[in-house]
Amino acid sequence: MKMRQRLQLYQISVIFSMLFALIGFSYNTWRLEVSEHNSNVRLACFEILKELAALEQLIYIAHYDKDMNTASPRKGWLRVGLITDFSYLANQDVQSSSKALHQTWSEHWESVPDDNQSVLLIVDDIDQVRVSIKKLLTSLN
C-alpha cells in the first residue's frame, strides 16, 4: 500500500513539474516575441526620427539659405521615402501621419525655397509624425 501511495505521489509531482515547465516555457517564448517586436518598433521609430531631423534640416537649408545643392529635392524625396517605409514597422498612427507627410511633401516640395507657407505645412506634418512616434514609444511595454 505504501508503495502505491509513493507511486501516485511521484506521478502527481511529475505531472505538476511538466505542467510548470510548459507554462514557464510558454511565457518565456511569448515574452521574447513581445520584446523582439518592441525592439523592432523602437529601432524603426529612432530611424524615422533621424530621417525627420534630416528632412527638416534640408527644408531649412533650402528655404533660409537658398542652397539647393546641399538641400537637393532628391535628398528630400529619399528622406520622405525612408520615413514612409520605416513607418510600416510602427503602428497605424505613425503610418498615417507618415503618409500625410509624404502627401504634403509631394504637393509642396517645389515651393519650399520661396514659400514660407509650404515650409510651415511640411514642418507641421513632420511634427505630427514625431507626436505619433512619441505616443507609440511610451505605449510599449
Side-chain angles (χ1 to χ4, degrees), residues 70-136:
T70 304
S72 168
R74 288 185 300 278
K75 291 178 184 177
W77 276 111
L78 177 68
R79 303 271 183 218
V80 170
L82 284 171
I83 291 164
T84 304
D85 290 344
F86 279 126
S87 73
Y88 285 96
L89 297 173
N91 66 3
Q92 189 62 39
D93 289 341
V94 175
Q95 287 177 28
S96 62
S97 59
S98 296
K99 287 179 185 177
L101 171 61
H102 188 276
Q103 182 64 35
T104 303
W105 174 259
S106 67
E107 293 171 359
H108 297 280
W109 69 270
E110 292 175 305
S111 58
V112 165
D114 304 315
D115 184 19
N116 195 47
Q117 185 63 28
S118 294
V119 171
L120 293 175
L121 288 170
I122 296 170
V123 170
D124 185 52
D125 279 359
I126 289 172
D127 290 339
Q128 289 303 315
V129 176
R130 283 188 180 124
V131 167
S132 298
I133 288 174
K134 289 174 186 175
K135 285 180 186 176
L136 173 59

Side-chain angles (χ1 to χ4, degrees), residues 44-76:
C45 287
F46 294 144
E47 289 298 323
I48 293 171
L49 289 171
K50 287 177 8 184
E51 294 301 326
L52 289 170
L55 178 62
E56 193 170 22
Q57 183 179 26
L58 283 176
I59 292 167
Y60 290 148
I61 290 170
H63 184 70
Y64 294 111
D65 299 339
K66 308 288 189 217
D67 181 0
M68 296 311 292
N69 290 328
T70 304
S72 168
R74 288 185 300 278
K75 291 178 184 177

Side-chain angles (χ1 to χ4, degrees), residues 15-29:
I15 290 171
F16 178 74
S17 296
M18 294 283 284
L19 185 62
F20 186 73
L22 182 62
I23 290 171
F25 180 73
S26 297
Y27 174 77
N28 190 38
T29 301

